[in-house]
Amino acid sequence: MATKQASTAGSGDADAAGQQQQRRKVIELEEGWKEMVVGCKKLERILAAEEGVGFSSVEYMHLYTTIYNMCTEKAPNNYSEQLYDRYPEVLEDYISKTVLPSIKEKHGEFLIRELDQRWKDHKIMVRWLSRFFHYLERVFIPRRRLPSLKETGWNCFRDLVFNAHKTTVTTIVTGMVDEEREGQIIDRTLLKNVLDIYVELGNDMKLYQEDFVVAFLKGTADYYSKKSQAWILEDTCPEYMMKAEEYLQKEKERVKHYLHSSTEEKLMEVAQRELLAKHTDQILKKLLFDDKVEDLSRMFRLFSRIDGLAPVSKVFKEHVNEQGMSLVQQAIDAAISKKSEKKDVVSMLELDFVRKILELHDKNYAYVTGCFQNHKEFHKALREAFEVVCSKDVAGCTSAELFASYCDSILRKGGIVKLSDEAIEENLDTVVKLITYIRDKDLFFEFHRLVKKLGRRLLFEKVGNEEHERSMLSKLKQNFGEQFTSKMEGMLTDITETKGEQCKYEAYIEAHLGSNPWVDLSVTVLRTGHWPTYRTCEINLPYEMAALLLLFNDSERLSYSEIVTQLKLTDDDTVRVLHSLSCAKYKILNKEPSNRTISPNDVFEFNSKFTDRMCRIKVQLPPSDEKKKVIDDVNTDRKFAIDASLVRIMKSRKISTHHNLVAECVEQLSRMFRPDVKMIKRRIEDLITREYLERDKDAVNSYRYLA
Amino acid sequence: MLIYKLGKGSREKVQQFMTITGASEKVALQALKASDWHLEGAFDFFYSQPQISAANTRRLEEMYNKYKEPDADMIMVEGVSQLCNDLHVDPQDIVMLVISWHMKAATMCEFTRQEFIGGLQSIGVDSIEKLREKLPSLRAELKDDHKFREIYNFTFNWAREKGQKSLSLETAIGMWQLLFAERQWPLLDHWCEFLQVRHNKTISRDTWTQLLEFVKSIDPQLSNYDEEGAWPYLIDEFVEYLIENGFVQRK
């Protein structure tokens, strides 16, 4: 009874509380909505930039609370859904009444300016409304998983305003970009803002890509297509390159100023394609290699961007080849026309040719390391071009022989070519590089070593500077291995040691016999194997005659005055000696004119045709045979090399097909020369006969190693 | 297996065998062993082999002695001519080559005792008449691919001069003409001409053997000739020669 009473009393209290709650008046929908409309109207005035208009805290609170109340009532007075539906209507209303008309009446830049402004306004509007309607975000929207107020609000703009005008806007924007390209100043900030709209409104950049970028890239392509066609006709190659580089740089900056960063890659690709890739051939046709280094470097820079270096290197190679071949042709023509004249003149032409080839190489090598940034494509192009040039013969000489002659002339004392020490080293460096282009390198080594060259220089003390000789040999050794240089190093060592011994001997003689020996002795020690075999000259002659003849080792023709100077005999003695050699029974020298008296105007030539059955005289063979001998020796060495290589391969493989054997043999030997496939075949047959190999009975075209 | 180690029955069989066939004890034992000591089987075995009896061996010795040199233990040129005469064949007849092959003769126009007797035994004859009868079948052996190859390769060593490694060109050409008359190689004449004009040196064994492969596998129009193949250089040159002179069309 007591509790019941108590509860009655409690329920009375509860009722009081409930009444208190229920005392909050229910706001009907239209009623509440009216309040909101007032607020929206004020908002519009704010947007219209009316002075002195703003929301006070009280107004804001009121609006917020109105929504709150309408959303927290129990049904049927809970108007969340209706409010959610009406919210965008506010915006739509404003858009159709105010925004769209204002945009419609404008064009061009004014249009997008208006759009930009209206978008800003819209964002503000959405922000304010979202604050008023905020409570919807707390319960209703999450529960129903609906789009947020912001999203809904922005979508209004997109659907009603933006989508209606986006094509126009894109056209205007791309138009403005083209103006800027043409050099006009445009409002970059405006463009940036407008393009930001695409980015903000488009889900995940889809709007930006589809509705802007596609058209933009096409416009860019069109623009550069026209431009490049005009430039190609008007400009020289360097001018074109410079413009291209400039415009491409500007495109890159454009991105920074108002385009989205994701556009950069595609934009550059399109521009480069139109400017460079599509016109590669024409540009390269215009390319003159006498252009400045900066121009070539620019060309390299630009083309490496579009991965288009292959055509450039091709043009480079053709250019080098052309220049090289024209030098070759010049030399051949000159040699033919000078054929009737003296030999010395011809050799001057050949040396001149080599010098020009060296210059050509140095110049183009500088291009490769400089403008072309040491790119391997260009190294390759240079190499291939020179391989062709160096494979041609000039005046019956292979380039191997010519290079050896050239080395001879710069290394010997009193040679035709006189250079400073530094220049000598540089020249030798270039020669070594050029040797790598020669197919049959072993030929060079043999000539270099042979009678006319190193051997002769050493024997007849014509070595200009021993340092240079050693330096050349060490360069050759570094590049080509020891195999060929070991003999030549041996020759140098022999001479050095000899000199040492000679000095000791002379000191000894001095000490023991006084300074008047009966015999003037000088000895040269030649270790066999290092030196080529020489045909010796056995002539029984008095000292002066021998000395005179030795002068003819350097030059086939000497005038009287040259002989006098070099021999340092008196005139009387010189005349006597010359007479005995050219006018007596044995004409070892030919005299011009061929009368029987010696006069100061005479010229003497070594009589290479001299033979006599009576005397024990062996005459040196004419130079051309020397050359043949070199070639024969090289061929013999090659046979041995091929045999050794074949046996080596078969020993390790035991069985091999013919094709594989030949291919491997060629590869092994290619460092030094290119073996003739026919020669290899014959060597294989020879090895079969000598029972190193046999044909495989079970497999056709195969061989077996015979242990 | 010494006969005294055999049982009585086996010994009897050996005796019987020897009496009937005239074979030696050794041969008798061999035959009986092969037939598991059945006498009839042993007879079959004996007669299916080209075994010559002791009497036959004697006959062969007589033959040899007829043709051999008076003061050397060899049959030489004169003896060979005599032999050819008795066989009614030309000494240049290719059948002589076949016979020499059977004899495994080391050198042309020479037969040692062993070569002569062994050869006739392997042919399975013991008299001139029997040899004469065998001539057609000997010739027919050339038609057999395998045998032809053996005979062809044998020819190189046989036709060489003593102590030489390679074959003189003249002899080689002669041999080729002989051998390929049987086998009909259309390019034979060009080959011989080419060798005389362009090569004029001896022929190596490798060239000799490889030529047969060439004849057998390459068609006369050279449509399946591979110049990158392992043919000897002389054959490569021959092909070039044919093309140069328009005897075959370039591919």
Side-chain angles (χ1 to χ4, degrees):
Chain A
M1 288 288 173
T3 41
K4 203 174 174 194
Q5 278 176 348
S7 70
T8 313
S11 70
D13 283 349
D15 279 339
Q19 265 187 351
Q20 201 170 25
Q21 196 170 18
Q22 283 190 306
R23 223 180 288 138
R24 187 181 86 184
K25 190 166 156 265
V26 168
I27 310 175
E28 287 300 320
L29 179 59
E30 294 309 327
E31 206 186 313
W33 191 247
K34 236 191 269 174
E35 300 295 312
M36 299 314 297
V37 168
V38 170
C40 290
K41 287 289 173 223
K42 190 163 194 191
L43 188 51
E44 285 177 26
R45 283 162 62 205
I46 293 173
L47 293 175
E50 257 188 55
E51 295 251 350
V53 183
F55 285 107
S56 67
S57 311
V58 172
E59 283 168 314
Y60 169 68
M61 288 287 303
H62 171 69
L63 291 167
Y64 183 94
T65 314
T66 309
I67 298 292
Y68 175 84
N69 287 342
M70 286 200 275
C71 290
T72 47
E73 288 297 333
K74 289 202 176 60
N77 295 322
N78 189 311
Y79 299 113
S80 302
E81 190 170 342
Q82 292 88 326
L83 290 172
Y84 184 78
D85 288 338
R86 286 193 187 195
Y87 158 79
E89 284 169 14
V90 173
L91 295 163
E92 285 163 15
D93 191 61
Y94 179 70
I95 287 172
S96 52
K97 285 215 192 86
T98 316
V99 177
L100 284 175
S102 77
I103 293 178
K104 202 160 164 211
E105 65 188 21
K106 299 201 170 54
H107 304 280
E109 192 177 327
F110 296 107
L111 189 149
I112 61 173
R113 210 176 278 284
E114 186 67 28
L115 183 74
D116 177 42
Q117 186 57 49
R118 289 297 171 186
W119 171 241
K120 287 196 180 79
D121 290 347
H122 187 86
K123 283 195 273 190
I124 294 170
M125 196 167 183
V126 170
R127 201 178 315 128
W128 276 108
L129 288 175
S130 302
R131 281 153 128 189
F132 302 154
F133 285 74
H134 179 70
Y135 195 74
L136 286 171
E137 306 259 34
R138 301 291 291 250
V139 182
F140 179 74
I141 286 174
R143 189 180 288 161
R144 298 272 191 110
R145 295 215 181 99
L146 291 166
S148 68
L149 293 174
K150 177 175 164 192
E151 200 183 320
T152 314
W154 283 22
N155 286 351
C156 290
F157 190 87
R158 183 192 64 201
D159 297 337
L160 292 176
V161 183
F162 189 76
N163 280 349
H165 291 96
K166 61 187 178 186
T167 322
T168 318
V169 171
T170 301
T171 311
I172 297 169
V173 171
T174 50
M176 284 173 75
V177 173
D178 279 347
E179 281 172 22
E180 190 183 46
R181 284 173 177 150
E182 286 297 299
Q184 292 189 35
I185 311 262
I186 61 168
D187 188 344
R188 286 174 165 169
T189 320
L190 174 61
L191 284 192
K192 183 166 187 3
N193 291 342
V194 171
L195 289 175
D196 275 345
I197 304 177
Y198 288 76
V199 175
E200 281 173 307
L201 284 181
N203 48 324
D204 238 350
M205 300 296 288
K206 203 153 164 271
L207 202 64
Y208 177 74
Q209 295 293 350
E210 285 175 10
D211 293 308
F212 176 68
V213 175
V214 169
F216 173 65
L217 289 179
K218 184 169 179 309
T220 306
D222 286 342
Y223 178 81
Y224 281 114
S225 167
K226 284 199 203 82
K227 268 278 180 274
S228 61
Q229 278 174 26
W231 292 347
I232 273 290
L233 293 173
E234 296 161 2
D235 296 329
T236 64
C237 183
E239 282 168 2
Y240 186 95
M241 291 281 106
M242 253 193 293
K243 281 187 190 159
E245 198 171 47
E246 195 191 312
Y247 274 71
L248 287 172
Q249 185 56 32
K250 288 214 190 101
E251 291 299 326
K252 209 165 178 186
E253 281 164 27
R254 193 154 288 130
V255 176
K256 265 191 249 151
H257 289 132
Y258 47 81
L259 297 170
H260 191 265
S261 60
S262 64
T263 317
E264 183 173 336
E265 203 185 311
K266 287 208 205 89
L267 173 62
M268 297 315 287
E269 198 192 302
V270 167
Q272 279 163 188
R273 190 184 66 220
E274 290 300 324
L275 282 173
L276 300 170
K278 282 198 173 161
H279 296 286
T280 306
D281 288 339
Q282 286 160 294
I283 296 169
L284 290 177
K285 256 196 220 127
K286 286 179 169 233
L287 180 65
L288 299 170
F289 277 91
D290 297 327
D291 289 340
K292 299 189 211 85
V293 162
E294 311 138 35
D295 295 324
L296 287 177
S297 306
R298 181 173 302 117
M299 161 147 296
F300 180 82
R301 273 201 303 275
L302 288 172
F303 276 89
S304 53
R305 283 205 231 173
I306 59 168
D307 209 14
L309 285 176
V312 182
S313 76
K314 183 162 166 277
V315 169
F316 176 64
K317 177 171 138 187
E318 284 168 3
H319 168 79
V320 173
N321 187 292
E322 211 182 285
Q323 291 191 319
M325 290 313 290
S326 97
L327 285 179
V328 170
Q329 194 54 48
Q330 272 176 38
I332 290 176
D333 291 341
I336 292 174
S337 69
K338 295 270 197 281
K339 209 175 189 172
S340 51
E341 293 188 30
K342 305 146 200 178
K343 267 200 160 185
D344 281 346
V345 182
V346 174
S347 54
M348 268 299 280
L349 285 169
E350 289 163 9
L351 294 177
D352 198 46
F353 165 72
V354 174
R355 194 179 43 79
K356 289 204 187 107
I357 290 285
L358 293 180
E359 276 169 17
L360 180 69
H361 182 268
D362 286 339
K363 179 170 120 184
N364 285 297
Y365 194 77
Y367 282 144
V368 174
T369 51
C371 325
F372 299 132
Q373 296 179 22
N374 248 331
H375 194 276
K376 64 173 189 216
E377 276 284 330
F378 289 85
H379 274 292
K380 184 163 166 244
L382 183 68
R383 188 182 71 232
E384 286 175 5
F386 267 91
E387 273 171 6
V388 172
V389 171
C390 290
S391 71
K392 304 289 174 200
D393 287 355
V394 168
C397 300
T398 59
S399 34
E401 195 187 340
L402 290 174
F403 292 148
S405 294
Y406 187 81
C407 289
D408 179 57
S409 66
I410 60 176
L411 285 169
R412 68 157 52 205
K413 223 190 290 184
I416 304 173
V417 182
K418 289 175 182 48
L419 295 171
S420 70
D421 279 342
E422 219 179 273
I424 290 178
E425 284 299 309
E426 279 173 20
N427 267 234
L428 291 179
D429 276 333
T430 312
V431 171
V432 171
K433 281 206 195 85
L434 287 174
I435 293 169
T436 53
Y437 302 137
I438 304 177
R439 210 176 50 203
D440 297 330
K441 303 176 198 355
D442 52 352
L443 215 52
F444 168 81
F445 286 102
E446 203 46 31
F447 275 115
H448 190 73
R449 189 174 77 98
L450 220 245
V451 181
K452 259 204 171 131
K453 322 289 186 239
L454 180 63
R456 236 192 204 182
R457 289 200 294 278
L458 290 173
L459 280 182
F460 302 116
E461 299 191 25
K462 288 288 168 185
V463 171
N465 184 337
E466 203 184 299
E467 286 303 307
H468 287 309
E469 297 282 355
R470 284 220 182 269
S471 156
M472 178 61 170
L473 286 185
S474 87
K475 286 188 226 283
L476 290 173
K477 188 158 137 181
Q478 255 180 332
N479 279 280
F480 304 109
E482 256 188 23
Q483 181 186 5
F484 289 95
T485 52
S486 59
K487 278 189 197 165
M488 293 192 270
E489 285 184 321
M491 284 158 87
L492 266 183
T493 317
D494 285 347
I495 294 296
T496 325
E497 283 180 6
T498 291
K499 280 201 194 135
E501 292 302 313
Q502 179 73 10
C503 286
K504 281 194 215 159
Y505 170 75
E506 279 172 7
Y508 176 88
I509 292 291
E510 181 90 26
H512 289 81
L513 298 177
S515 52
N516 196 7
W518 296 345
V519 167
D520 231 343
L521 181 66
S522 101
V523 175
T524 313
V525 177
L526 310 177
R527 246 175 294 202
T528 43
H530 292 166
W531 298 80
T533 47
Y534 296 98
R535 296 276 170 89
T536 49
C537 202
E538 272 178 30
I539 304 181
N540 282 331
L541 292 171
Y543 172 79
E544 300 96 321
M545 288 169 78
L548 199 155
L549 281 182
L550 284 176
L551 295 177
F552 284 91
N553 275 333
D554 295 331
S555 173
E556 304 257 329
R557 285 172 70 88
L558 288 169
S559 72
Y560 177 86
S561 45
E562 283 172 327
I563 294 172
V564 166
T565 320
Q566 290 188 48
L567 216 48
K568 296 190 177 55
L569 291 175
T570 63
D571 274 355
D572 278 348
D573 284 344
T574 312
V575 166
R576 190 167 51 81
V577 177
L578 279 172
H579 193 276
S580 63
L581 288 171
S582 60
C583 307
K585 186 173 173 198
Y586 306 116
K587 287 196 178 43
I588 299 175
L589 295 176
N590 285 332
K591 190 169 85 70
E592 283 171 19
S594 57
N595 54 26
R596 293 209 154 223
T597 48
I598 307 293
S599 82
N601 298 322
D602 286 351
V603 179
F604 298 87
E605 194 177 292
F606 190 90
N607 183 2
S608 51
K609 293 199 186 67
F610 178 79
T611 54
D612 196 301
R613 276 186 223 98
M614 300 296 283
C615 294
R616 270 180 309 167
I617 298 181
K618 290 181 197 154
V619 179
Q620 274 190 323
L621 293 175
S624 57
D625 277 14
E626 258 174 21
K627 185 151 85 168
K628 185 169 176 308
K629 184 175 185 303
V630 168
I631 293 172
D632 284 344
D633 282 347
V634 166
N635 275 335
T636 310
D637 287 339
R638 283 185 184 179
K639 280 201 189 122
F640 290 137
I642 294 175
D643 282 356
S645 164
L646 289 169
V647 171
R648 229 187 350 256
I649 297 169
M650 287 307 293
K651 193 167 179 186
S652 83
R653 298 221 172 279
K654 305 288 182 226
I655 305 182
S656 172
T657 63
H658 175 83
H659 185 258
N660 286 349
L661 181 58
V662 171
E664 230 186 292
C665 182
V666 167
E667 221 220 282
Q668 267 193 20
L669 295 169
S670 63
R671 257 188 92 225
M672 268 306 132
F673 65 96
R674 198 171 81 179
D676 179 23
V677 174
K678 277 193 178 170
M679 196 192 270
I680 296 181
K681 242 196 186 183
R682 292 185 74 153
R683 298 321 301 157
I684 293 177
E685 274 180 66
D686 197 63
L687 289 172
I688 293 176
T689 310
R690 283 150 63 197
E691 295 181 28
Y692 280 88
L693 313 174
E694 65 175 4
R695 290 182 190 269
D696 191 342
K697 293 179 189 62
D698 303 320
V700 167
N701 272 353
S702 288
Y703 305 104
R704 269 181 194 275
Y705 179 70
L706 291 172
Chain B
M1 195 189 193
L2 294 174
I3 194 156
Y4 68 82
K5 279 196 173 172
L6 297 171
K8 187 163 182 256
S10 310
R11 254 184 284 146
E12 267 184 34
K13 285 179 186 170
V14 173
Q15 293 290 73
Q16 274 184 302
F17 190 91
M18 284 169 70
T19 314
I20 298 172
T21 63
S24 65
E25 189 179 274
K26 181 171 169 213
V27 172
L29 282 166
Q30 189 184 18
L32 282 163
K33 262 182 75 183
S35 65
D36 211 19
W37 293 94
H38 289 123
L39 212 43
E40 292 201 23
F43 289 147
D44 284 337
F45 176 82
F46 178 74
Y47 285 113
S48 70
Q49 309 239 320
Q51 300 242 357
I52 311 289
S53 62
N56 292 346
T57 318
R58 220 185 326 113
R59 261 181 262 152
L60 287 171
E61 300 258 64
E62 277 167 16
M63 263 181 89
Y64 173 73
N65 290 332
K66 179 174 172 204
Y67 295 110
K68 89 168 186 65
E69 289 292 294
D71 50 3
D73 192 18
M74 296 274 285
I75 300 180
M76 311 272 275
V77 175
E78 264 193 56
V80 173
S81 320
Q82 183 72 37
L83 175 65
C84 292
N85 227 355
D86 294 343
L87 288 174
H88 309 156
V89 294
D90 193 297
Q92 310 287 351
D93 192 319
I94 198 169
V95 79
M96 290 310 295
L97 174 57
V98 180
I99 291 172
S100 303
W101 171 64
H102 276 286
M103 292 187 176
K104 301 192 187 8
T107 316
M108 220 185 217
C109 296
E110 280 181 23
F111 297 120
T112 64
R113 176 187 295 266
Q114 194 161 359
E115 285 169 2
F116 185 78
I117 293 177
L120 292 179
Q121 278 177 328
S122 99
I123 293 173
V125 297
D126 62 0
S127 71
I128 281 294
E129 298 75 23
K130 286 197 193 143
L131 182 56
R132 213 182 303 137
E133 276 165 45
K134 267 271 184 170
L135 291 180
S137 80
L138 286 170
R139 279 212 186 82
E141 287 191 306
L142 290 163
K143 302 278 183 242
D144 177 292
D145 260 348
H146 186 66
K147 288 200 183 132
F148 181 84
R149 176 185 257 123
E150 287 193 23
I151 294 168
Y152 175 89
N153 285 334
F154 162 81
T155 307
F156 183 83
N157 290 343
W158 178 74
R160 274 191 304 198
E161 309 261 326
K162 275 197 191 146
Q164 293 299 320
K165 244 189 156 174
S166 39
L167 192 54
S168 87
L169 185 58
E170 215 184 291
T171 315
I173 290 181
M175 287 292 112
W176 273 320
Q177 283 170 337
L178 194 62
L179 287 159
F180 289 123
E182 295 291 314
R183 278 257 148 175
Q184 290 305 314
W185 182 38
L187 295 174
L188 177 63
D189 289 335
H190 288 310
W191 172 248
C192 297
E193 201 177 87
F194 156 76
L195 287 171
Q196 283 163 324
V197 163
R198 291 278 198 93
H199 178 58
N200 226 5
K201 285 185 280 210
T202 56
I203 301 291
S204 71
R205 179 201 291 279
D206 189 53
T207 308
W208 177 270
T209 48
Q210 291 304 101
L211 183 75
L212 183 61
E213 299 308 315
F214 184 82
V215 170
K216 286 178 86 166
S217 60
I218 304 297
D219 78 78
Q221 296 309 312
L222 306 182
S223 62
N224 57 340
Y225 179 77
D226 176 17
E227 60 253 347
E228 314 248 311
W231 296 109
Y233 96 93
L234 198 54
I235 291 184
D236 288 339
E237 305 249 306
F238 175 56
V239 169
E240 266 178 46
Y241 167 86
L242 291 173
I243 293 173
E244 265 172 42
N245 288 303
F247 297 133
V248 290
Q249 294 307 313
R250 191 181 280 279
K251 278 182 270 186

